[in-house]
Amino acid sequence: MLRTFMENRSGMDVIDILNLMFAYAVILLLVLPVHELAHAGAAYALGDKTAKWQGRLSLNPFKHLDLWGSLMILTVGIGYAKPVPVNPYNLRHGRRDMALVSLAGPLSNLLMAVVTVGLFRLILEFSPEWDTVEILWNILINTIVSINISLAVFNLLPIPPLDGSRLWSSLLPGRWAYTIEAYSQYITIALFIVLFMGVLDGPLNTLHSAVFDGLDTLFGVSERLTLLFLTGH
């Protein structure tokens, strides 16, 4: 949020600032809790009750927010929540189930994006006023869908403490996974610096655009918007 505000402050009015604040409230209070609940729910379904015992099988955002991850969200625009504790020895199929638990969070983000795009497409069928369409586009698409796609793509990076690191650790030899875990704190700090410098902006934006374009094609949102515009809204 801070970087977005600093880069665009000269062209932002009060409404723009309120929209920006709303977007980050959605991340912290809705998207991240659902993401972590998906991890906890998957682990529970696959035999590990650790997350449930530690109160993580919940939508309460304060159960999931992480200091570093929240700071990254508020400064560079993307981050993470507190990793859900998982005991792989309790899982019924060990490493395979650990990979499924790791995938559950990003998949929940993609599911939220799909449902939101579908809802927007359904609303378009009723041909509301163009002003209403613009407001809903900003709230549903530019905020909720964009955030969920960004977090899904970002969390699949094979870097601690992101889900991708757990996913790859479940596939790598144990010695390699242990080495990555041992240096995870330093890797997290390096990730924060790299994100703040914008080094990953290009690759992440490319992946984000690919997923968004896929959803747009699937639901035909752009075609419907063009039709509304050509027919006088």
Side-chain angles (χ1 to χ4, degrees), residues 3 5 8 10 29 58 64 73 76-77 86 88 91 93 103 115 129-130 140 153 157 162 169 189 192 210 213 225 230:
R3 193 177 77 176
F5 176 74
N8 302 284
S10 60
L29 301 179
S58 168
H64 303 296
I73 288 171
V76 301
V86 180
L91 298 172
H93 299 285
L103 282 172
V115 170
E129 293 295 324
W130 189 253
L140 296 178
V153 169
L157 294 176
L162 306 179
S169 292
I189 295 173
F192 180 90
D213 290 344
L225 283 172
L230 293 176

Side-chain angles (χ1 to χ4, degrees), residues 40-57:
Y44 185 81
L46 294 170
D48 180 35
K49 299 181 180 180
T50 306
K52 183 178 187 301
W53 291 336
Q54 296 192 16
R56 301 296 301 279
L57 198 62

Side-chain angles (χ1 to χ4, degrees), residues 218-229:
L218 178 64
F219 287 96
V221 171
S222 292
E223 293 179 7
R224 182 59 179 160
L225 283 172
T226 301
L227 180 62
L228 280 176
F229 182 79

Side-chain angles (χ1 to χ4, degrees), residues 54-99:
Q54 296 192 16
R56 301 296 301 279
L57 198 62
S58 168
L59 275 174
N60 181 353
F62 299 104
K63 297 283 188 180
H64 303 296
L65 294 182
D66 174 86
L67 177 60
W68 271 105
S70 298
L71 286 174
M72 287 173 65
I73 288 171
L74 294 173
T75 53
V76 301
I78 196 165
Y80 55 89
K82 192 186 306 179
V84 165
V86 180
N87 185 344
Y89 297 105
N90 291 336
L91 298 172
R92 286 189 284 273
H93 299 285
R95 291 162 69 87
R96 188 208 70 176
D97 285 354
M98 191 65 197

